[in-house]
Amino acid sequence: EIVLTQSPATLSFSPGERATLSCRASQSVSSSLAWYQQKPGQAPRLLIYDASNRATGVPARFSGSGSGTDFTLTISSLEPEDFAVYYCHQRGSWPWTFGQGTKVEIK
Amino acid sequence: EVQLVESGGGLVQPGGSLRLSCAASGFSFSSYAMSWVRQAPGKGLEWVSTVGTGFDTYYGDPMKGRFTISRDNSKSTLYLQMNSLKAEDTAVYFCASNIPGRAGFDYWGQGALVTVSS
């Protein structure tokens, strides 16, 4: 099973700041990685698929990069609605797995 | 508009069974692989199972032998039959559609709560 490690568990920022979230895979997943945003009481929302492609309707301030084992989600300038939990997810091999999540909170 | 609506959640005793359904609309259901993802209270996301367009099935290790995923394309409905339920299966279960040929779940239902407790 491929383990996805998201670190740190919590990041604190002020609105307008740039946020960089990390996801590291225990073995290569090529570009088969997605990023999701989840707010309390809501279903996750797809942000990035195939490591670097923005999903429909996702603002341009969200970008994804990486391949193999190291991936990054960047939010160029945090808006108030961006404070949430972010998960990475791999489907490079079965079983598919999720990272444990990074909470982006307001400083 | 794409909609995924789960139903069938509830309270069940340990060792019991439950069947979840996910009614899909607004897209060509038969052309999409479909999945279940769960989230235990206060915890992260866990992939449960996927059924492909060719009815091929895949399961997470904790679910193998106990859960069965299936689909009825004539009804645009996804199912998850859960047997031998354990307390650790307590979670919100989401159904999600898989972007064809891409890595990502593009649409999600609102979730169905399954509580396993005596």
Side-chain angles (χ1 to χ4, degrees), chain A residues 36 38 43 49-50 91 96, chain B residues 39 47 50 98 102-103 105 109:
Chain A
Y36 303 88
Q38 188 180 33
Y49 66 92
D50 288 352
R91 50 178 73 187
W96 292 348
Chain B
Q39 187 168 37
W47 172 73
T50 294
N98 302 247
R102 304 293 187 185
F105 299 120

Side-chain angles (χ1 to χ4, degrees), chain A residues 17-94:
Chain A
E17 286 193 299
R18 180 184 184 91
T20 302
L21 282 64
S22 169
C23 176
R24 177 163 290 179
S26 59
Q27 56 188 280
S28 177
V29 300
S30 185
S31 295
S32 295
L33 188 113
W35 289 93
Y36 303 88
Q37 176 194 68
Q38 188 180 33
K39 298 179 181 179
Q42 296 184 14
R45 171 197 180 195
L46 177 66
L47 297 175
I48 302 290
Y49 66 92
D50 288 352
S52 60
N53 295 282
R54 261 191 312 277
T56 302
V58 174
R61 63 181 180 272
F62 291 93
S63 63
S65 63
S67 66
T69 60
D70 290 297
F71 300 87
T72 299
L73 174 70
T74 300
I75 311 171
S76 60
S77 178
L78 282 161
E79 298 286 340
E81 61 267 27
D82 299 336
F83 292 92
V85 179
Y86 294 83
Y87 294 94
C88 58
H89 160 62
Q90 70 81 22
R91 50 178 73 187
S93 66
W94 302 100

Side-chain angles (χ1 to χ4, degrees), chain B residues 6 24 30 48 52 55 58 70 84 87 90 98 104-105 109-110 113 117:
Chain B
E6 300 96 338
S30 62
V48 172
F55 299 92
Y58 307 88
S70 61
S84 304
T90 294
N98 302 247
F105 299 120
Q110 84 288 351
L113 176 62
S117 174

Side-chain angles (χ1 to χ4, degrees), chain B residues 69-84:
Chain B
I69 191 171
S70 61
R71 64 190 300 158
D72 185 339
N73 290 340
S74 68
K75 296 181 178 179
S76 296
T77 301
L78 175 71
Y79 302 101
L80 184 68
Q81 177 67 43
M82 302 183 290
N83 298 331
S84 304

